[in-house]
Amino acid sequence: MQSDLVCPELSESLGKCTAKFSWGHFRSTCPSQCHPEDPSQKTGNTERWKSQFYPTRVKCSVWRNPEEFDEKSGTPLGIQTGGKMANPVPSACCVVLAAVVMVYAQRHSELDMQVQYERLGADVTMQCGAMDWDAAVTWSANGTDMDESHLNGSRLVLRNVDLTRTGQYACYEGSSWHLKYQTYLKVGTSPKEPVLMCRSNNYPKGFYCSWHLPSPTYIPNTFNITVMHGPRELVCEKDAFPKNRCHIRYLQLFSTVKYKVTLTVTNALGRNATTITFDEFAIVKPDPPENVVAKPVSNNPRRLEVRWQNPSSWPDPESFPLKFFLRYRPLILDQWQHVELSDGTSHTITDAYAGKEYIIQVAAKDNDIGTWSDWSVAVHATPWTEEPKHLTTEAPVAETTTTSSSSFVPPPTTKICDLEAVVGSGAVTMSWAAGLVLAAAGVLFI
């Protein structure tokens, strides 16, 4: 868009300044007479001003020569290359051009951003402000031009929208690119029936109620809760965190009148509600015991000593004592063993398997009313085991035996016979020798 701007108060010396507008920027060119008081400007060269428009401010600087201004990057060459740049000079022309930019920006900001909510899977049609159906327009989504296949005349049509269609949509008039309409589309669902729960973990002070939706809606929701005790409405003080919870103080203990709590959830696409009714005693449920510790018992390979503390949220354990439920098992087994304790905050397990690691948890409950708490954080412990004794034995010293050449040492496999057997064997040998001698002599005499 081209326009001629006249600096009225300096029209004789300035003449006309030509301003060129583009999205977010404009540039202007004025003759060298803009600063006749500065001798350095009397060079006959055309001076250039560049104003960068931002939503909240305008910057205006002056460069002496056209060569010192980079048209492509929109910055002075002196800044980019280290070359010499003229000092910024205040200018009445700059003030006029800055005012024009502000007016230009104001015109475009007059179109307030609207928010449009649509159901997931619906067909959505957007109209380009007051433009005629057959007007030439351009639509953009999150700064990107929309394909013409989505247009029905000047209207934008989105079929079966999903969550990816959430974003900012804008419509511009023809080639002038005047903004005619803009909106922020949010795709979501109406709320389903909320889940509501009330519980007293600090009896007898009061109770709290918390809630959540079974599935997300993807758009903002508003929750409203009403607590009635008979005909009387009670105040439910909402927590800063978490936001989906509020507290109610008991105004009357041991009451037989039921409590009635109604929760309503609303968003731009619909509403839903749920109601629960309960007795005072039914919602009492302490928090789990705290600081559970399990240790082995010295010189007892089958015992574990377990200790814990009352939950810190339970305000008066003296007047409203708790009882406890302990469970334990070795890691190698899936079956739990249980012990219920009417008082005290410790217990000694006496039937543990020696040397096996155990997992242990504790729960709590008011002695007379309510339900058991959730289990405490699990702790692990292993019964005492005797340290192995390290026995030391000395190796036997090998005996050295010196034998003479005349001695005879029988091998381990030599069988030593008794004396009578040896003598009998020698007598038989002698009798055979005598018989042979007599036979030889008889032959000689023949």
Side-chain angles (χ1 to χ4, degrees):
M1 180 177 70
Q2 298 284 341
S3 65
D4 290 336
L5 306 178
V6 178
C7 303
E9 67 276 15
L10 298 175
S11 58
E12 294 182 359
S13 60
L14 289 179
K16 292 184 178 181
C17 298
T18 302
K20 182 179 180 181
F21 289 84
S22 61
W23 287 110
H25 303 77
F26 82 51
R27 295 170 184 167
S28 67
T29 303
C30 289
S32 59
Q33 291 87 345
C34 272
H35 302 282
E37 71 280 4
D38 186 354
S40 65
Q41 301 296 321
K42 296 180 179 180
T43 60
N45 294 327
T46 300
E47 295 177 335
R48 297 198 175 201
W49 282 261
K50 172 180 174 291
S51 294
Q52 177 76 38
F53 167 68
Y54 297 94
T56 58
R57 63 186 184 275
V58 172
K59 293 180 179 179
C60 185
S61 302
V62 180
W63 289 272
R64 186 171 62 182
N65 297 316
E67 293 76 17
E68 296 175 350
F69 182 81
D70 187 347
E71 288 283 344
K72 183 177 181 180
S73 64
T75 58
L77 295 176
I79 293 179
Q80 294 180 339
T81 63
K84 182 178 179 181
M85 184 185 75
N87 293 329
V89 180
S91 170
C93 190
C94 261
V95 174
V96 173
L97 295 178
V100 174
V101 172
M102 297 304 293
V103 172
Y104 179 78
Q106 185 176 1
R107 285 181 53 193
H108 285 76
S109 62
E110 289 175 353
L111 293 176
D112 295 332
M113 177 71 70
Q114 301 179 7
V115 179
Q116 181 175 346
Y117 295 95
E118 297 292 345
R119 293 181 183 275
L120 192 66
D123 294 339
V124 179
T125 300
M126 299 182 191
Q127 186 170 346
C128 186
M131 298 292 292
D132 294 335
W133 179 85
D134 57 350
V137 299
T138 300
W139 281 89
S140 68
N142 297 320
T144 302
D145 290 352
M146 298 287 294
D147 189 85
E148 292 185 358
S149 61
H150 295 291
L151 299 183
N152 180 10
S154 62
R155 299 176 181 179
L156 177 66
V157 180
L158 304 176
R159 305 288 185 186
N160 191 24
V161 293
D162 56 18
L163 297 178
T164 62
R165 291 297 188 184
T166 295
Q168 181 176 345
Y169 291 79
C171 177
Y172 303 94
E173 179 185 4
S175 59
S176 66
W177 282 91
H178 285 170
L179 180 63
K180 290 297 183 180
Y181 177 77
Q182 60 179 348
T183 185
Y184 197 94
L185 176 64
K186 293 187 176 182
V187 180
T189 63
S190 60
K192 295 184 178 179
E193 182 179 347
V195 178
L196 175 64
M197 183 273 295
C198 295
R199 171 188 166 200
S200 176
N201 64 337
N202 61 347
Y203 191 83
K205 284 188 174 183
F207 63 94
Y208 70 86
C209 294
S210 62
W211 55 88
H212 66 273
L213 292 176
S215 59
T217 62
Y218 308 106
I219 59 177
N221 303 294
T222 301
F223 294 90
N224 182 48
I225 188 167
T226 303
V227 182
M228 303 295 297
H229 186 221
R232 186 174 185 178
E233 183 175 355
L234 304 181
V235 177
C236 195
E237 300 177 359
K238 290 189 176 182
D239 293 352
F241 182 83
K243 294 183 178 181
N244 61 332
R245 188 169 71 177
C246 65
H247 282 83
I248 304 97
R249 293 184 178 275
Y250 282 124
L251 299 181
Q252 180 183 357
L253 288 179
F254 313 116
S255 173
T256 58
V257 178
K258 291 182 179 295
Y259 289 84
K260 180 180 179 181
V261 181
T262 301
L263 177 69
T264 303
V265 55
T266 307
N267 66 21
L269 300 177
R271 66 185 297 274
N272 216 320
T274 188
T275 299
I276 59 174
T277 304
F278 52 85
D279 293 316
E280 172 186 323
F281 303 140
I283 63 171
V284 176
K285 180 182 178 181
D287 289 330
E290 300 174 356
N291 300 322
V292 182
V293 178
K295 295 181 179 180
V297 179
S298 180
N299 299 319
N300 287 276
R302 300 201 63 187
R303 295 195 175 194
L304 289 171
E305 183 180 0
V306 186
R307 296 184 178 275
W308 60 90
Q309 294 177 357
N310 289 315
S312 57
S313 56
W314 196 251
D316 192 0
E318 296 296 330
S319 303
F320 297 89
L322 298 174
K323 58 182 178 180
F324 302 95
F325 203 61
L326 183 144
R327 71 176 185 177
Y328 59 96
R329 65 175 177 84
L331 291 181
I332 61 174
L333 299 178
D334 294 330
Q335 185 176 1
W336 292 93
Q337 294 174 272
H338 300 86
V339 178
E340 185 171 344
L341 306 169
S342 58
D343 58 359
T345 55
S346 65
H347 178 72
T348 300
I349 299 172
T350 60
D351 57 351
Y353 290 109
K356 301 299 180 183
E357 182 179 357
Y358 272 73
I359 180 172
I360 303 162
Q361 291 178 291
V362 188
K365 179 185 175 300
D366 182 272
N367 260 339
D368 301 314
I369 60 175
T371 58
W372 287 99
S373 73
D374 296 331
W375 290 107
S376 65
V377 177
V379 297
H380 294 250
T382 303
W384 175 87
T385 55
E386 184 178 4
E387 294 183 3
K389 296 180 179 180
H390 300 286
L391 301 178
T392 57
T393 57
E394 296 182 359
V397 180
E399 296 182 358
T400 303
T401 305
T402 304
T403 56
S404 63
S405 58
S406 60
S407 62
F408 173 76
V409 180
T413 56
T414 302
K415 184 176 180 180
I416 302 177
C417 300
D418 56 10
L419 183 59
E420 293 181 356
V422 174
V423 172
S425 176
V428 173
T429 303
M430 291 297 293
S431 62
W432 275 99
L436 291 174
V437 170
L438 291 176
V443 172
L444 292 175
F445 285 106
I446 294 175

